[in-house]
Amino acid sequence: MLAVAQKRPTPPAGTPPKGQRIELLPGTQELVGGTFNGVAIRKLIGNVSFRQGTTLLYCDSAYQYTERNALEAFSNVRIIQNDTVVITGDRGTYDGDTRKARITGNVTMRDPRMTLTTSLLDYDLNTNLAYYNTGGHLVDPENTLDSQFGYYNTTSKIFSFRRNVHVVTKSNEINSDTLQYNTISKVTYFFGPTRIKDKLQRTLYAENGNYNTITKLANFQRNAKIETPEYLLGGDKLTYDQNSEYGVATGHVSMTSKKDNLVIRGDVGHYWRNLGRTKVYGTRPVMRNISGKDTLYMAADTLLSIEAKPPQTNTRSVLYAFHKVAIFRGTMQGRCDSLTYDRQDSIIYLNRDPVLWSEKNQLTADSMEIRQRRSKIDQIRLYANAFVVGQDTLLNFNQVKGRNMVAYFAENKLKKVDVLGNAESLYYALEGDTVVSGVNKALSANMALRFAESKLNSISFLTNPDASFIPPPELKPEDAKLKGFAWRATERPTRRQVLGKHFALPVKAKPKARSKLKTRSKAKPTTPKKAAPSKPIVPKPTTPKVATRPPAAR
C-alpha cells in the first residue's frame, strides 16, 4: 500500500486532496520491481486495481512509477468515477497529481444517459471534462451523434461537438459545424451553419439557435430558413414546430415559391405547411414574380399565399393582397384596395376602386381582371363603370366610358379596347400635334377602339351611333369631360414606392465614357455660316379615324 502525501487544505467534497497518492488495492497476482526507460517502476500483473478518492482503476497489468504519482495501465483498462461514469479501453495513463487520464484503443465512456465510443479519450477528473479529437460516436435512448472533436462534462451532462457534426434522431438528421447537446433535456444548441432535415424532405437551416429533439421545436437565429419541395421561407429569426408544421419568421422575411419563381419579402411571416399557407406582413411586404424579361412587383399591407395542401397537388395556387395594393410592372402600374392572383390561370382580380396606368392611358372600373398569356399581359377586363382616359401631346384628356370593357394587349402594349354597353367617347382632333381643331363626342351601344404605339388610331361605332363635332370656339368647360371623369396621375406608384426597403432597384448599365482627344495647338474659332431659310412645315391632322359615318355636326 502506498503512503499518503502530507496534509493539504480540505478540497470540495468528493475530490481527493491534490497530490494524494494512488492506492494499490489488494488482489494483484504479481508485483515486480525494475526500471522502464530509465525510470524506477513497479510492474503489476493480474487483477490490478487502484483507488484515489472515489475513483477506481482496473486493468490486467500496469506500470506504477515509484518516484512520481502516476501509472500506465494495459489491457481491459477500466476507470470508474463516483459509481456513475465508466471508461474502458485497451491502454491508459493516469497522473494522480493532476488527476488526468488518457485512454486509447476501443475507448468506451458510459454514464446512465449515454454511451460514447472513440479511439482516444482524455479525461480531467478535477473538472469532470472528457475530450476526444480523433472522432467520436455517441448513443443515447433518443439520438446518435458523431463528430471529429468533442467535449463532455459529466457533471452538467452537456456535450460540445465540433467539425463534421452529424446527429440522427427518430425523425431528423442534423448536420452542423459546432453544436452542443444536453443529454438530460435532449436539446441541441448550435453556433454555426446547421441543417435539420426530416423524412418529408423539409430542411431547417440556421447559423445560431437551438432544437429540442423531443418536442421538435426549433428556435433559430441568423439566416434562418425552412425549405420544402414547394417553399423556401427565411428570416433573421425563426421558430418552427415540426409537430404542427407551423413556423414564424421575423426580420428580413423572404418566402419563395419554387414552381412559379415568386418571392415575397416582409418583416413578419407565418407558415402553415399542413394548410399550404404563408402570410407575410409588416412595413408593406412586396411580391416579386419574374416571367422571362418581365417582372411584376406588388406591395400591400398583407400578402397571403396559398399552395396545395400536402399531399394534395390539385389545389390552386392563389395569392391574396390586402389592403392598399400597389402594382408595378414595366409599362403598367396600378392600385386597388384588395387583389387576388390566381397563379395557375395567370389571372389577377382587382377589387374595390382599381386603377391601372399603361403608358399614357388610365383605366378605371368597379373591378378588373388582368389576364396573362405566356407571362405577358393579354387582356384587361373592366366591369361596371369602365372608364379609359389618355393624354395627347397637348395634354388634353381623350375619354371613353361604358358599362364594361375589354382591353387587348400585344407585347404588353395596348392595341384594342371593346366598349360593351352605353358607350361614350370624347376625343380631341389635332392638327400636327400642335393645334386643336375640335372635339369629337359620340354615343353608341358598343364601340371598338384601336391603338398604335399606345395612342388612339381609330374608333368604330358598332350600334346606333350618335356623334357630334364641337369646334374650339363653341367648346364649353362641361363639354371637355364625360361624367365620372377623374385623372389620378398623382396616385400612380413608382418603382421605388412599390419595392420599398425589401428589394433593391435594378442596376442600370453605366454609359461608356467618351475618350477625350488632346491636341497640341488650339483650334481656331470658326465663323458660323448663315442657315438657309427653310420651308414652313404643314402639320398633318392626327384625328382618330372613325369607321362609321356620324351624323352632321350639331
Side-chain angles (χ1 to χ4, degrees):
M1 184 177 294
L2 303 179
V4 178
Q6 63 181 353
K7 188 174 181 180
R8 297 177 181 271
T10 304
T15 302
K18 185 176 180 180
Q20 178 180 337
R21 299 295 295 179
I22 302 171
E23 178 185 357
L24 175 64
L25 301 178
T28 300
Q29 296 176 355
E30 184 177 354
L31 188 154
V32 180
T35 59
F36 177 72
N37 292 333
V39 179
I41 63 167
R42 291 197 302 178
K43 186 176 182 180
L44 311 169
I45 303 174
N47 296 325
V48 182
S49 57
F50 298 94
R51 180 172 63 192
Q52 188 187 47
T54 57
T55 303
L56 298 171
L57 187 148
Y58 302 91
C59 59
D60 290 345
S61 61
Y63 290 161
Q64 184 178 23
Y65 295 92
T66 58
E67 297 180 358
R68 57 190 180 92
N69 194 22
L71 59 86
E72 290 188 52
F74 308 94
S75 184
N76 295 316
V77 178
R78 181 160 49 105
I79 296 176
I80 303 175
Q81 184 185 27
N82 298 326
D83 294 326
T84 56
V85 178
V86 179
I87 306 173
T88 62
D90 296 335
R91 183 171 178 172
T93 61
Y94 180 66
D95 188 316
D97 291 336
T98 62
R99 302 192 72 235
K100 293 181 179 180
R102 167 169 286 188
I103 313 298
T104 59
N106 300 312
V107 181
T108 300
M109 182 178 190
R110 294 185 178 87
D111 71 11
R113 292 177 176 82
M114 67 89 208
T115 299
L116 170 69
T117 57
T118 183
S119 60
L120 186 152
L121 184 73
D122 289 303
Y123 186 42
D124 188 332
L125 281 79
N126 290 310
T127 60
N128 296 325
L129 186 65
Y131 169 74
Y132 63 85
N133 59 7
T134 56
H137 178 72
L138 179 146
V139 178
D140 70 10
E142 302 294 335
N143 312 296
T144 63
L145 298 94
D146 294 270
S147 69
Q148 183 65 31
F149 301 94
Y151 296 85
Y152 179 52
N153 189 313
T154 60
T155 301
S156 65
K157 308 301 181 185
I158 293 177
F159 255 105
S160 298
F161 301 96
R162 286 194 303 111
R163 193 174 298 177
N164 300 325
V165 183
H166 182 66
V167 183
V168 179
T169 72
K170 293 180 180 179
S171 55
N172 297 288
E173 285 191 28
I174 304 174
N175 290 282
S176 182
D177 180 70
T178 304
L179 181 146
Q180 283 188 350
Y181 177 61
N182 190 315
T183 59
I184 299 175
S185 66
K186 312 301 181 185
V187 176
T188 60
Y189 303 85
F190 41 90
F191 308 94
T194 301
R195 284 179 171 83
I196 302 175
K197 190 173 184 179
D198 66 11
K199 296 179 181 179
L200 299 176
Q201 301 302 311
R202 293 169 298 190
T203 301
L204 304 177
Y205 172 88
E207 296 172 7
N208 188 277
N210 62 77
Y211 175 71
N212 191 314
T213 62
I214 302 299
T215 64
K216 299 181 183 179
L217 181 64
N219 289 284
F220 289 170
Q221 299 179 15
R222 200 179 306 158
N223 296 326
K225 298 181 180 70
I226 304 172
E227 184 171 7
T228 73
E230 308 89 18
Y231 268 129
L232 176 62
L233 175 66
D236 293 340
K237 295 182 180 180
L238 171 68
T239 60
Y240 185 68
D241 188 338
Q242 283 188 311
N243 291 313
S244 63
E245 298 186 305
Y246 169 68
V248 179
T250 57
H252 297 94
V253 173
S254 177
M255 187 282 289
T256 302
S257 177
K258 297 179 180 179
K259 67 179 182 180
D260 48 14
N261 202 13
L262 182 144
V263 179
I264 297 175
R265 293 182 181 175
D267 291 336
V268 182
H270 293 257
Y271 174 56
W272 299 265
R273 185 176 188 273
N274 56 351
L275 299 176
R277 180 176 298 181
T278 303
K279 180 180 179 181
V280 182
Y281 58 93
T283 317
R284 299 283 293 171
V286 183
M287 181 214 75
R288 182 186 68 188
N289 191 194
I290 300 176
S291 301
K293 296 181 179 180
D294 199 8
T295 302
L296 170 65
Y297 293 97
M298 185 185 304
D301 291 343
T302 302
L303 297 175
L304 176 63
S305 176
I306 297 179
E307 296 280 355
K309 302 177 184 178
Q312 301 176 12
T313 57
N314 57 353
T315 303
R316 306 184 77 85
S317 298
V318 180
L319 177 75
Y320 297 96
F322 52 92
H323 299 277
K324 300 178 182 178
V325 181
I327 300 171
F328 191 97
R329 178 176 184 172
T331 59
M332 187 189 75
Q333 296 80 45
R335 287 189 183 276
C336 62
D337 180 72
S338 60
L339 174 151
T340 301
Y341 181 15
D342 187 331
R343 285 140 58 191
Q344 185 169 327
D345 291 340
S346 297
I347 301 177
I348 301 176
Y349 302 89
L350 292 81
N351 306 305
R352 297 186 63 182
D353 194 28
V355 54
L356 292 175
W357 293 270
S358 176
E359 296 187 352
K360 293 186 177 182
N361 300 297
Q362 173 186 287
L363 295 79
T364 59
D366 289 353
S367 63
M368 296 186 192
E369 290 181 12
I370 301 176
R371 294 175 174 259
Q372 303 174 88
R373 178 180 295 179
R374 296 178 181 177
S375 303
K376 294 181 180 180
I377 300 174
D378 181 55
Q379 297 179 19
I380 296 179
R381 298 190 177 188
L382 293 76
Y383 299 109
N385 298 312
F387 210 122
V388 176
V389 182
Q391 272 192 313
D392 61 19
T393 55
L394 298 182
L395 303 182
N396 298 306
F397 295 108
N398 296 318
Q399 305 155 49
V400 177
K401 62 179 292 188
R403 185 184 302 119
N404 302 311
M405 292 187 191
V406 180
Y408 299 89
F409 288 74
E411 299 299 324
N412 290 329
K413 290 188 177 182
L414 183 61
K415 293 297 182 181
K416 179 185 176 184
V417 175
D418 288 340
V419 186
L420 309 175
N422 301 332
E424 296 183 51
S425 66
L426 185 154
Y427 273 87
Y428 286 81
L430 303 182
E431 293 182 1
D433 293 340
T434 57
V435 178
V436 177
S437 61
V439 173
N440 285 304
K441 297 187 72 174
L443 299 173
S444 181
N446 302 308
M447 291 184 186
L449 294 75
R450 285 177 172 80
F451 293 76
E453 298 299 324
S454 298
K455 294 181 181 180
L456 184 65
N457 182 259
S458 67
I459 304 176
S460 298
F461 306 106
L462 303 180
T463 310
N464 301 323
D466 181 11
S468 63
F469 181 82
I470 306 174
E474 299 178 14
L475 186 62
K476 299 177 182 179
E478 58 268 21
D479 295 327
K481 295 180 182 178
L482 296 180
K483 185 178 180 180
F485 167 84
W487 183 243
R488 301 168 61 179
T490 57
E491 301 177 37
R492 190 171 190 170
T494 64
R495 186 193 299 266
R496 178 72 279 168
Q497 288 172 343
V498 176
L499 270 60
K501 68 176 185 178
H502 302 297
F503 287 96
L505 289 172
V507 179
K508 295 182 179 179
K510 294 182 178 179
K512 294 182 179 179
R514 296 181 180 179
S515 58
K516 297 181 179 179
L517 299 177
K518 297 181 179 180
T519 56
R520 294 181 179 178
S521 59
K522 294 182 180 180
K524 296 181 179 180
T526 58
T527 303
K529 297 181 180 180
K530 294 183 179 180
S534 58
K535 296 181 180 180
I537 299 175
V538 179
K540 296 181 179 180
T542 59
T543 305
K545 298 177 181 179
V546 179
T548 61
R549 181 180 296 174
R554 291 174 294 180

